[in-house]
């Protein structure tokens, strides 16, 4: 299903190049009930992201399971942004209680808002996971459609503010095929992650790592069992292959390569 949906999104993407933040989002709420977790897929996800255990479910995993719904939403011809080339810019996840692989989930997904961005237009996509009607986990992700714009609002500073470096904790060598491996596990086969040739079609000189992989890998390095809330911003693409450094201090964490910051985030044991 994801491959077919992505193909449909590819066909409609050229029709959505001139989107503006004033465009209307569809009121669509996609839902899937009785969602079962594949043990083999969960183990493969934990392995590639560095999670040491799979029960309770890693914090980002229900969103990964809901990715086919996200594709359906963004591939729909009524969705105003082109699916191909969308860049993940931010994520926020709240876990209201631990969930387990043997439980049957209900997933609900919808788009919440469009906002102007200095590089184009950004959409917020919400994923909710419920058990017997109870909201147990929710995430909010920002996706950017890059296009020419004259926007010069608060998220478009004239000069980037330097991000103070945190103490280094670990160094990771990311192989050229990481995007293809993670795409096979997650179902996210956006061309910008797969190969230099397909990435160049969207303005990237090389394939870039999935934002959700960098996010999950950083979270796995922390103490994920104690985290109930996490937010992160993707500051710069991670080209493949490369070497990156995970840095952290208390609840704050970063992913860096030298002075370049790829990701910043913060965890909490209390979402309030």
């Amino acid at each position: 299903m994801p491959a077919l949906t992505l193909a449909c999104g590819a066909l409609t993407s050229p029709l959505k190049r001139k989107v503006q933040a004033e465009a209307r989002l569809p009121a669509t709420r996609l839902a899937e009930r009785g969602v079962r977790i594949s043990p083999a897929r969960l183990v493969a996800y934990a392995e590639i992201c560095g999670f040491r255990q799979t029960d309770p479910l890693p914090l980002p995993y229900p969103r990964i399971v809901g990715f086919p719904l996200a594709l359906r939403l963004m591939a729909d011809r009524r969705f105003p942004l082109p699916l191909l080339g969308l860049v993940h810019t931010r994520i926020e996840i709240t876990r209201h209680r631990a969930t387990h692989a043997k439980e049957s989930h209900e997933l609900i997904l919808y788009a919440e808002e469009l906002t102007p961005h200095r590089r184009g237009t950004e959409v917020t996509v919400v994923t909710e996971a419920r058990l017997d009607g109870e909201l147990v986990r929710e995430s909010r992700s920002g996706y950017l459609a890059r296009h020419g714009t004259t926007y010069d609002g608060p998220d478009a500073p004239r000069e980037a503010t330097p991000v103070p470096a945190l103490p280094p904790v670990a160094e990771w060598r990311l192989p050229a095929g990481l995007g293809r491996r993670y795409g096979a596990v997650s179902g996210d086969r956006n061309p910008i992650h797969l190969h230099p040739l397909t990435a160049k079609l969207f303005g990237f000189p090389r394939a870039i790592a999935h934002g959700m992989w960098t996010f999950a890998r950083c979270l796995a390095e922390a103490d994920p069992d104690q985290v109930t809330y996490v937010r992160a911003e993707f500051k710069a693409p991670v080209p493949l292959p490369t070497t990156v450094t995970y840095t952290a201090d208390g609840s704050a964490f970063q992913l860096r390569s030298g002075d370049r910051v790829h990701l910043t985030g913060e965890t909490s044991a209390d979402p309030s």
Side-chain angles (χ1 to χ4, degrees), residues 33-36 100-106 130-132:
R33 295 174 176 82
V35 177
R36 296 287 182 177
H100 306 275
K102 293 183 179 181
E103 294 177 301
S104 178
H105 293 72
E106 177 186 9
R130 295 178 178 270
L131 291 174
D132 297 324

Side-chain angles (χ1 to χ4, degrees), residues 12 16 30 35 48 61 86 89 96 99 104 106 122 135-136 164-165 174 186 205-206 215 225 234 238:
T12 59
K16 304 177 180 181
L30 299 179
V35 177
I48 196 172
Y61 197 68
L86 282 179
T89 57
H96 299 287
T99 54
S104 178
E106 177 186 9
E122 189 177 64
L135 180 63
V136 293
L174 311 187
S186 67
R206 287 187 278 169
F215 169 72
D225 292 339
F234 304 105
V238 179

Side-chain angles (χ1 to χ4, degrees), residues 18-110:
K18 296 182 179 181
V19 67
Q20 300 294 328
E22 293 77 16
R24 294 187 62 182
L25 282 169
T28 308
R29 293 174 68 94
L30 299 179
E32 186 173 354
R33 295 174 176 82
V35 177
R36 296 287 182 177
I37 305 298
S38 164
R41 185 183 177 195
L42 176 58
V43 168
Y45 172 82
E47 180 180 357
I48 196 172
C49 294
F51 289 103
R52 300 173 185 84
Q53 62 185 46
T54 58
D55 193 62
L57 290 175
L59 191 62
Y61 197 68
R63 185 194 171 281
I64 301 301
V65 177
F67 185 71
L69 287 181
L71 279 183
R72 279 177 52 195
L73 179 77
M74 294 186 284
D76 191 288
R77 66 180 58 196
R78 295 169 298 175
F79 189 78
L81 303 185
L83 175 62
L84 290 188
L86 282 179
V87 178
H88 202 175
T89 57
R90 54 185 168 80
I91 185 166
E92 177 181 1
I93 299 179
T94 302
R95 178 172 62 193
H96 299 287
R97 77 165 175 85
T99 54
H100 306 275
K102 293 183 179 181
E103 294 177 301
S104 178
H105 293 72
E106 177 186 9
L107 298 177
I108 301 170
L109 191 138
Y110 53 94

Side-chain angles (χ1 to χ4, degrees), residues 51 56-60 93-98 136-137 215 218-231 246 250-251 253 266-271:
F51 289 103
L57 290 175
L59 191 62
I93 299 179
T94 302
R95 178 172 62 193
H96 299 287
R97 77 165 175 85
V136 293
R137 200 169 306 201
F215 169 72
C218 289
L219 188 58
E221 195 70 21
D223 188 2
D225 292 339
Q226 302 302 315
V227 173
T228 61
Y229 173 80
V230 60
R231 62 178 178 83
Y246 169 75
S251 62
F253 62 90
E266 187 174 6
T267 62
S268 172
D270 182 359

